[in-house]
Amino acid sequence: MNYSVEVERMTCVAKGPNHGPAPIPEEGKWVQAKEINDISGLTHGVGWCAPQQGACKLTLNVKNGIIEEALVETLGCSGMTHSAAMSGEILPGKTILEALNTDLVCDAINTAMRELFLQIAYGRTQTAFSEGGLPVGAGLEDLGKGLRSQVGTTYGTLAKGPRYLEMAEGYIKNLALDENDEIIGYEFVHLGKMMDMIKKGTDANEALQQATGKYGRFDEGVKTIDPRHE
């Protein structure tokens, strides 16, 4: 250690009490985190790229400083999906400090990692007060049946009004309109369920029918429209 001349000439004064860092809540315990391996918790965070054309939702399950589980969900940019594929391989097994300083390919994913690091390091995880935290695999619970992300996609113009394209239930086939041409319900296809049935041998048309559902007052509609073509 090198000291400046000014510091070398100083009189040594004893340091007073040192109580260490403030405890943070982790998986139902209060922990004085001094090392990376003192950190545990499951949490979510959102990141965005510099031009803000895409976003990433990142879920990490950290045990003793190591990322044991990672869920990477991206939206709005085709290249991000390939970045997510690489990040899904990169993140598990790294410490949260390593992950913070690793290029996760896409700036939105890097930003999400930064936001998560802040939550985790300050004890603001989703499992801060959950005894024992959540098991590895809990990240998949964020996904719906068929393991597909919960996505909402709507589009609207002043000239022609709104169009629902994708809702939590799935892909929107038809919108039901009332006598005032207002949306009162929709017909959807749960793509995750449909693909599961097809993979098990169900005829595609039969799977489509079984995975189709209705929401709202769809049957009361005066007319229906295909939101993608009408």
Side-chain angles (χ1 to χ4, degrees):
M1 185 72 68
N2 295 320
Y3 297 98
S4 68
V5 174
E6 289 80 8
V7 172
E8 287 282 3
R9 291 175 178 172
M10 288 180 180
T11 300
C12 188
V13 177
K15 186 177 180 181
N18 180 10
H19 300 299
I24 59 174
E26 293 182 20
E27 300 188 340
K29 298 179 294 184
W30 289 95
V31 177
Q32 282 188 303
K34 299 179 182 179
E35 307 287 344
I36 290 294
N37 57 15
D38 292 330
I39 301 291
S40 295
L42 180 142
T43 198
H44 321 272
V46 175
W48 53 96
C49 60
Q52 298 191 29
Q53 78 177 59
C56 167
K57 179 195 170 192
L58 181 62
T59 303
L60 298 180
N61 197 350
V62 178
K63 302 289 186 183
N64 302 317
I66 304 293
I67 296 172
E68 296 286 349
E69 175 185 20
L71 172 63
V72 188
E73 300 175 86
T74 60
L75 177 72
C77 171
S78 58
M80 296 173 71
T81 61
H82 296 81
S83 301
M86 288 181 268
S87 297
E89 290 188 61
I90 292 169
L91 285 167
K94 286 190 178 292
T95 69
I96 56 171
L97 185 59
E98 284 180 299
L100 182 67
N101 290 288
T102 297
D103 181 10
L104 300 176
V105 189
C106 166
D107 197 35
I109 306 175
N110 287 315
T111 304
M113 183 63 227
R114 180 194 71 197
E115 297 301 307
L116 257 70
F117 183 88
L118 293 174
Q119 290 184 35
I120 296 166
Y122 285 113
R124 303 300 195 272
T125 65
Q126 303 296 310
T127 54
F129 300 103
S130 302
E131 187 173 354
L134 289 171
V136 175
L140 288 179
E141 294 178 9
D142 281 359
L143 303 177
K145 291 182 179 178
L147 299 183
R148 301 187 75 247
S149 296
Q150 303 294 311
V151 177
T153 306
T154 64
Y155 176 76
T157 59
L158 181 60
K160 298 295 183 178
R163 299 291 189 277
Y164 301 170
L165 303 173
E166 186 101 13
M167 304 293 276
E169 296 86 359
Y171 174 97
I172 304 303
K173 284 180 63 181
N174 293 295
L175 298 177
L177 308 181
D178 64 10
E179 59 275 3
N180 298 317
D181 288 333
E182 295 180 2
I183 299 171
I184 59 173
Y186 51 80
E187 184 179 42
F188 62 87
V189 178
H190 196 303
L191 294 178
K193 290 181 179 178
M194 185 180 78
M195 291 306 301
D196 281 346
M197 286 186 278
I198 292 173
K199 285 188 290 185
K200 291 177 181 177
T202 305
D203 176 76
N205 288 321
E206 183 181 344
L208 175 63
Q209 290 181 349
Q210 292 186 31
T212 297
K214 301 172 185 175
Y215 182 85
R217 296 183 290 124
F218 184 83
D219 291 333
E220 299 176 26
V222 173
K223 65 177 178 181
T224 62
I225 63 169
D226 181 334
R228 289 171 171 79
H229 300 290
E230 295 179 73

